[in-house]
PDB file of all heavy atoms in Angstrom:
ATOM      1  N   PHE A  34      -8.500   8.589  -6.191  1.00  0.00           N
ATOM      2  CA  PHE A  34      -8.187   7.184  -6.355  1.00  0.00           C
ATOM      3  C   PHE A  34      -8.800   6.431  -5.184  1.00  0.00           C
ATOM      4  O   PHE A  34      -8.131   6.156  -4.200  1.00  0.00           O
ATOM      5  CB  PHE A  34      -6.671   7.032  -6.380  1.00  0.00           C
ATOM      6  CG  PHE A  34      -6.200   5.851  -7.150  1.00  0.00           C
ATOM      7  CD1 PHE A  34      -6.670   5.580  -8.418  1.00  0.00           C
ATOM      8  CD2 PHE A  34      -5.261   5.000  -6.607  1.00  0.00           C
ATOM      9  CE1 PHE A  34      -6.223   4.494  -9.130  1.00  0.00           C
ATOM     10  CE2 PHE A  34      -4.803   3.914  -7.321  1.00  0.00           C
ATOM     11  CZ  PHE A  34      -5.284   3.653  -8.574  1.00  0.00           C
ATOM     12  N   LEU A  81     -14.945  12.311   5.858  1.00  0.00           N
ATOM     13  CA  LEU A  81     -13.915  12.021   6.856  1.00  0.00           C
ATOM     14  C   LEU A  81     -12.521  12.098   6.260  1.00  0.00           C
ATOM     15  O   LEU A  81     -11.600  12.644   6.865  1.00  0.00           O
ATOM     16  CB  LEU A  81     -14.128  10.605   7.405  1.00  0.00           C
ATOM     17  CG  LEU A  81     -14.992  10.448   8.646  1.00  0.00           C
ATOM     18  CD1 LEU A  81     -15.163   8.979   8.963  1.00  0.00           C
ATOM     19  CD2 LEU A  81     -14.339  11.154   9.819  1.00  0.00           C
ATOM     20  N   ARG A  84      -9.183  15.115   3.558  1.00  0.00           N
ATOM     21  CA  ARG A  84      -7.854  15.710   3.590  1.00  0.00           C
ATOM     22  C   ARG A  84      -6.821  14.894   2.838  1.00  0.00           C
ATOM     23  O   ARG A  84      -5.763  15.389   2.491  1.00  0.00           O
ATOM     24  CB  ARG A  84      -7.382  15.818   5.046  1.00  0.00           C
ATOM     25  CG  ARG A  84      -8.056  16.928   5.817  1.00  0.00           C
ATOM     26  CD  ARG A  84      -7.227  17.253   7.025  1.00  0.00           C
ATOM     27  NE  ARG A  84      -7.066  16.071   7.890  1.00  0.00           N
ATOM     28  CZ  ARG A  84      -6.185  16.006   8.867  1.00  0.00           C
ATOM     29  NH1 ARG A  84      -5.391  17.010   9.091  1.00  0.00           N
ATOM     30  NH2 ARG A  84      -6.096  14.931   9.622  1.00  0.00           N
ATOM     31  N   THR A  86      -4.867  12.507   0.001  1.00  0.00           N
ATOM     32  CA  THR A  86      -4.750  12.491  -1.454  1.00  0.00           C
ATOM     33  C   THR A  86      -3.945  11.274  -1.875  1.00  0.00           C
ATOM     34  O   THR A  86      -3.317  10.613  -1.059  1.00  0.00           O
ATOM     35  CB  THR A  86      -4.004  13.733  -1.980  1.00  0.00           C
ATOM     36  OG1 THR A  86      -2.804  13.859  -1.231  1.00  0.00           O
ATOM     37  CG2 THR A  86      -4.833  14.981  -1.879  1.00  0.00           C
ATOM     38  N   TYR A  89      -2.377   7.625  -0.196  1.00  0.00           N
ATOM     39  CA  TYR A  89      -2.907   7.531   1.156  1.00  0.00           C
ATOM     40  C   TYR A  89      -4.414   7.358   1.117  1.00  0.00           C
ATOM     41  O   TYR A  89      -4.991   6.548   1.839  1.00  0.00           O
ATOM     42  CB  TYR A  89      -2.537   8.777   1.964  1.00  0.00           C
ATOM     43  CG  TYR A  89      -1.075   8.857   2.258  1.00  0.00           C
ATOM     44  CD1 TYR A  89      -0.236   9.616   1.476  1.00  0.00           C
ATOM     45  CD2 TYR A  89      -0.527   8.131   3.298  1.00  0.00           C
ATOM     46  CE1 TYR A  89       1.119   9.673   1.729  1.00  0.00           C
ATOM     47  CE2 TYR A  89       0.825   8.169   3.568  1.00  0.00           C
ATOM     48  CZ  TYR A  89       1.644   8.944   2.778  1.00  0.00           C
ATOM     49  OH  TYR A  89       2.981   8.987   3.025  1.00  0.00           O
ATOM     50  N   MET A  92      -5.226   3.826  -0.041  1.00  0.00           N
ATOM     51  CA  MET A  92      -5.075   2.782   0.968  1.00  0.00           C
ATOM     52  C   MET A  92      -6.102   2.929   2.085  1.00  0.00           C
ATOM     53  O   MET A  92      -6.547   1.924   2.646  1.00  0.00           O
ATOM     54  CB  MET A  92      -3.663   2.813   1.540  1.00  0.00           C
ATOM     55  CG  MET A  92      -2.617   2.388   0.552  1.00  0.00           C
ATOM     56  SD  MET A  92      -2.938   0.782  -0.200  1.00  0.00           S
ATOM     57  CE  MET A  92      -2.690  -0.296   1.191  1.00  0.00           C
ATOM     58  N   ASN A 107     -17.677 -10.700  11.955  1.00  0.00           N
ATOM     59  CA  ASN A 107     -17.935 -10.634  13.394  1.00  0.00           C
ATOM     60  C   ASN A 107     -19.361 -10.205  13.742  1.00  0.00           C
ATOM     61  O   ASN A 107     -19.644  -9.915  14.893  1.00  0.00           O
ATOM     62  CB  ASN A 107     -16.934  -9.683  14.048  1.00  0.00           C
ATOM     63  CG  ASN A 107     -15.550 -10.266  14.040  1.00  0.00           C
ATOM     64  OD1 ASN A 107     -15.266 -11.237  14.722  1.00  0.00           O
ATOM     65  ND2 ASN A 107     -14.693  -9.708  13.208  1.00  0.00           N
ATOM     66  N   TRP A 247      -5.480 -20.481 -16.415  1.00  0.00           N
ATOM     67  CA  TRP A 247      -4.439 -19.632 -15.852  1.00  0.00           C
ATOM     68  C   TRP A 247      -4.955 -18.218 -15.652  1.00  0.00           C
ATOM     69  O   TRP A 247      -4.242 -17.247 -15.888  1.00  0.00           O
ATOM     70  CB  TRP A 247      -3.218 -19.605 -16.777  1.00  0.00           C
ATOM     71  CG  TRP A 247      -2.453 -20.869 -16.746  1.00  0.00           C
ATOM     72  CD1 TRP A 247      -2.573 -21.931 -17.580  1.00  0.00           C
ATOM     73  CD2 TRP A 247      -1.441 -21.230 -15.803  1.00  0.00           C
ATOM     74  NE1 TRP A 247      -1.703 -22.922 -17.224  1.00  0.00           N
ATOM     75  CE2 TRP A 247      -0.984 -22.512 -16.137  1.00  0.00           C
ATOM     76  CE3 TRP A 247      -0.875 -20.580 -14.697  1.00  0.00           C
ATOM     77  CZ2 TRP A 247      -0.005 -23.165 -15.418  1.00  0.00           C
ATOM     78  CZ3 TRP A 247       0.117 -21.240 -13.987  1.00  0.00           C
ATOM     79  CH2 TRP A 247       0.542 -22.524 -14.347  1.00  0.00           C
ATOM     80  N   ALA A 260      -0.585  -1.151 -17.583  1.00  0.00           N
ATOM     81  CA  ALA A 260      -0.039  -0.076 -16.750  1.00  0.00           C
ATOM     82  C   ALA A 260       1.154   0.579 -17.439  1.00  0.00           C
ATOM     83  O   ALA A 260       1.367   1.779 -17.323  1.00  0.00           O
ATOM     84  CB  ALA A 260       0.371  -0.625 -15.383  1.00  0.00           C
ATOM     85  N   ILE A 261       1.947  -0.223 -18.161  1.00  0.00           N
ATOM     86  CA  ILE A 261       3.137   0.336 -18.802  1.00  0.00           C
ATOM     87  C   ILE A 261       2.778   1.036 -20.120  1.00  0.00           C
ATOM     88  O   ILE A 261       3.153   2.173 -20.360  1.00  0.00           O
ATOM     89  CB  ILE A 261       4.182  -0.767 -19.066  1.00  0.00           C
ATOM     90  CG1 ILE A 261       4.607  -1.397 -17.748  1.00  0.00           C
ATOM     91  CG2 ILE A 261       5.398  -0.194 -19.781  1.00  0.00           C
ATOM     92  CD1 ILE A 261       5.477  -2.616 -17.911  1.00  0.00           C
TER      93      ILE A 261
ATOM     94  N   ARG B  86       7.646   6.548 -18.852  1.00  0.00           N
ATOM     95  CA  ARG B  86       6.535   6.989 -19.684  1.00  0.00           C
ATOM     96  C   ARG B  86       5.584   7.949 -18.979  1.00  0.00           C
ATOM     97  O   ARG B  86       4.770   8.594 -19.635  1.00  0.00           O
ATOM     98  CB  ARG B  86       5.712   5.783 -20.140  1.00  0.00           C
ATOM     99  CG  ARG B  86       6.336   5.034 -21.271  1.00  0.00           C
ATOM    100  CD  ARG B  86       5.843   3.605 -21.262  1.00  0.00           C
ATOM    101  NE  ARG B  86       6.813   2.737 -21.892  1.00  0.00           N
ATOM    102  CZ  ARG B  86       6.847   2.505 -23.188  1.00  0.00           C
ATOM    103  NH1 ARG B  86       5.952   3.052 -23.969  1.00  0.00           N
ATOM    104  NH2 ARG B  86       7.749   1.719 -23.695  1.00  0.00           N
ATOM    105  N   MET B  95       0.334   6.217  -9.260  1.00  0.00           N
ATOM    106  CA  MET B  95      -0.816   5.345  -9.470  1.00  0.00           C
ATOM    107  C   MET B  95      -0.462   4.161 -10.350  1.00  0.00           C
ATOM    108  O   MET B  95      -0.857   3.034 -10.104  1.00  0.00           O
ATOM    109  CB  MET B  95      -1.952   6.129 -10.136  1.00  0.00           C
ATOM    110  CG  MET B  95      -2.514   7.212  -9.286  1.00  0.00           C
ATOM    111  SD  MET B  95      -2.981   6.523  -7.708  1.00  0.00           S
ATOM    112  CE  MET B  95      -2.876   7.944  -6.694  1.00  0.00           C
ATOM    113  N   ARG B  96       0.308   4.463 -11.425  1.00  0.00           N
ATOM    114  CA  ARG B  96       0.581   3.365 -12.366  1.00  0.00           C
ATOM    115  C   ARG B  96       1.600   2.394 -11.815  1.00  0.00           C
ATOM    116  O   ARG B  96       1.597   1.221 -12.178  1.00  0.00           O
ATOM    117  CB  ARG B  96       0.993   3.942 -13.707  1.00  0.00           C
ATOM    118  CG  ARG B  96      -0.267   4.393 -14.456  1.00  0.00           C
ATOM    119  CD  ARG B  96       0.023   5.213 -15.653  1.00  0.00           C
ATOM    120  NE  ARG B  96       0.859   4.510 -16.596  1.00  0.00           N
ATOM    121  CZ  ARG B  96       1.538   5.121 -17.550  1.00  0.00           C
ATOM    122  NH1 ARG B  96       1.473   6.425 -17.647  1.00  0.00           N
ATOM    123  NH2 ARG B  96       2.253   4.437 -18.379  1.00  0.00           N
ATOM    124  N   ARG B 114      -1.022 -22.663  -8.330  1.00  0.00           N
ATOM    125  CA  ARG B 114      -1.266 -23.793  -9.214  1.00  0.00           C
ATOM    126  C   ARG B 114      -0.392 -24.980  -8.826  1.00  0.00           C
ATOM    127  O   ARG B 114      -0.852 -26.118  -8.800  1.00  0.00           O
ATOM    128  CB  ARG B 114      -0.973 -23.373 -10.645  1.00  0.00           C
ATOM    129  CG  ARG B 114      -1.279 -24.437 -11.617  1.00  0.00           C
ATOM    130  CD  ARG B 114      -1.874 -23.854 -12.881  1.00  0.00           C
ATOM    131  NE  ARG B 114      -2.046 -24.935 -13.821  1.00  0.00           N
ATOM    132  CZ  ARG B 114      -3.188 -25.490 -14.077  1.00  0.00           C
ATOM    133  NH1 ARG B 114      -4.273 -25.059 -13.465  1.00  0.00           N
ATOM    134  NH2 ARG B 114      -3.283 -26.469 -14.935  1.00  0.00           N
ATOM    135  N   PHE B 230       1.791  -1.789   5.124  1.00  0.00           N
ATOM    136  CA  PHE B 230       1.364  -0.419   4.813  1.00  0.00           C
ATOM    137  C   PHE B 230       0.966   0.302   6.100  1.00  0.00           C
ATOM    138  O   PHE B 230       1.355   1.450   6.329  1.00  0.00           O
ATOM    139  CB  PHE B 230       0.198  -0.444   3.827  1.00  0.00           C
ATOM    140  CG  PHE B 230      -0.183   0.918   3.352  1.00  0.00           C
ATOM    141  CD1 PHE B 230       0.452   1.479   2.268  1.00  0.00           C
ATOM    142  CD2 PHE B 230      -1.151   1.658   4.000  1.00  0.00           C
ATOM    143  CE1 PHE B 230       0.127   2.751   1.837  1.00  0.00           C
ATOM    144  CE2 PHE B 230      -1.492   2.917   3.583  1.00  0.00           C
ATOM    145  CZ  PHE B 230      -0.849   3.466   2.496  1.00  0.00           C
ATOM    146  N   LEU B 238       6.319   7.820   6.879  1.00  0.00           N
ATOM    147  CA  LEU B 238       7.009   7.485   5.636  1.00  0.00           C
ATOM    148  C   LEU B 238       8.393   8.125   5.620  1.00  0.00           C
ATOM    149  O   LEU B 238       8.555   9.282   5.955  1.00  0.00           O
ATOM    150  CB  LEU B 238       6.179   7.991   4.453  1.00  0.00           C
ATOM    151  CG  LEU B 238       6.802   7.778   3.082  1.00  0.00           C
ATOM    152  CD1 LEU B 238       7.041   6.309   2.838  1.00  0.00           C
ATOM    153  CD2 LEU B 238       5.908   8.355   2.021  1.00  0.00           C
ATOM    154  N   THR B 265     -10.720 -12.946  15.688  1.00  0.00           N
ATOM    155  CA  THR B 265     -11.282 -12.597  14.386  1.00  0.00           C
ATOM    156  C   THR B 265     -11.228 -11.092  14.140  1.00  0.00           C
ATOM    157  O   THR B 265     -11.388 -10.641  13.017  1.00  0.00           O
ATOM    158  CB  THR B 265     -12.741 -13.063  14.260  1.00  0.00           C
ATOM    159  OG1 THR B 265     -13.422 -12.697  15.455  1.00  0.00           O
ATOM    160  CG2 THR B 265     -12.822 -14.557  14.060  1.00  0.00           C
ATOM    161  N   TRP B 266     -11.011 -10.311  15.213  1.00  0.00           N
ATOM    162  CA  TRP B 266     -10.912  -8.857  15.042  1.00  0.00           C
ATOM    163  C   TRP B 266      -9.475  -8.422  14.796  1.00  0.00           C
ATOM    164  O   TRP B 266      -9.222  -7.243  14.531  1.00  0.00           O
ATOM    165  CB  TRP B 266     -11.438  -8.130  16.283  1.00  0.00           C
ATOM    166  CG  TRP B 266     -12.918  -8.173  16.425  1.00  0.00           C
ATOM    167  CD1 TRP B 266     -13.634  -9.046  17.187  1.00  0.00           C
ATOM    168  CD2 TRP B 266     -13.884  -7.319  15.796  1.00  0.00           C
ATOM    169  NE1 TRP B 266     -14.983  -8.796  17.066  1.00  0.00           N
ATOM    170  CE2 TRP B 266     -15.159  -7.730  16.220  1.00  0.00           C
ATOM    171  CE3 TRP B 266     -13.783  -6.229  14.911  1.00  0.00           C
ATOM    172  CZ2 TRP B 266     -16.341  -7.115  15.796  1.00  0.00           C
ATOM    173  CZ3 TRP B 266     -14.957  -5.623  14.489  1.00  0.00           C
ATOM    174  CH2 TRP B 266     -16.214  -6.064  14.924  1.00  0.00           C
ATOM    175  N   PHE B 276      -6.494   3.896   9.201  1.00  0.00           N
ATOM    176  CA  PHE B 276      -7.528   4.913   9.203  1.00  0.00           C
ATOM    177  C   PHE B 276      -7.259   5.999  10.235  1.00  0.00           C
ATOM    178  O   PHE B 276      -7.228   7.182   9.920  1.00  0.00           O
ATOM    179  CB  PHE B 276      -8.846   4.225   9.529  1.00  0.00           C
ATOM    180  CG  PHE B 276      -9.889   4.557   8.555  1.00  0.00           C
ATOM    181  CD1 PHE B 276     -10.004   3.817   7.392  1.00  0.00           C
ATOM    182  CD2 PHE B 276     -10.729   5.628   8.763  1.00  0.00           C
ATOM    183  CE1 PHE B 276     -10.946   4.141   6.473  1.00  0.00           C
ATOM    184  CE2 PHE B 276     -11.670   5.947   7.838  1.00  0.00           C
ATOM    185  CZ  PHE B 276     -11.787   5.213   6.696  1.00  0.00           C
ATOM    186  N   LEU B 280      -6.067   9.945   9.656  1.00  0.00           N
ATOM    187  CA  LEU B 280      -6.975  11.032  10.011  1.00  0.00           C
ATOM    188  C   LEU B 280      -6.365  11.965  11.051  1.00  0.00           C
ATOM    189  O   LEU B 280      -6.507  13.174  10.968  1.00  0.00           O
ATOM    190  CB  LEU B 280      -8.290  10.472  10.550  1.00  0.00           C
ATOM    191  CG  LEU B 280      -9.184   9.830   9.502  1.00  0.00           C
ATOM    192  CD1 LEU B 280     -10.438   9.301  10.138  1.00  0.00           C
ATOM    193  CD2 LEU B 280      -9.540  10.843   8.427  1.00  0.00           C
ATOM    194  N   ARG B 293       0.669  19.850   1.264  1.00  0.00           N
ATOM    195  CA  ARG B 293      -0.207  19.652   0.110  1.00  0.00           C
ATOM    196  C   ARG B 293      -1.334  20.662   0.192  1.00  0.00           C
ATOM    197  O   ARG B 293      -1.894  20.882   1.255  1.00  0.00           O
ATOM    198  CB  ARG B 293      -0.796  18.246   0.111  1.00  0.00           C
ATOM    199  CG  ARG B 293       0.225  17.180  -0.199  1.00  0.00           C
ATOM    200  CD  ARG B 293      -0.483  15.845  -0.223  1.00  0.00           C
ATOM    201  NE  ARG B 293       0.477  14.755  -0.145  1.00  0.00           N
ATOM    202  CZ  ARG B 293       0.695  13.903  -1.127  1.00  0.00           C
ATOM    203  NH1 ARG B 293       0.018  13.992  -2.239  1.00  0.00           N
ATOM    204  NH2 ARG B 293       1.557  12.941  -0.997  1.00  0.00           N
TER     205      ARG B 293
END
Side-chain angles (χ1 to χ4, degrees):
Chain A
F34 207 49
L81 268 176
R84 285 199 301 167
T86 50
Y89 291 97
M92 291 306 291
N107 290 291
W247 287 94
I261 299 172
Chain B
R86 282 155 206 273
M95 295 307 155
R96 281 169 58 198
R114 184 142 175 103
F230 186 87
L238 177 59
T265 46
W266 287 97
F276 231 86
L280 288 179
R293 289 182 196 247

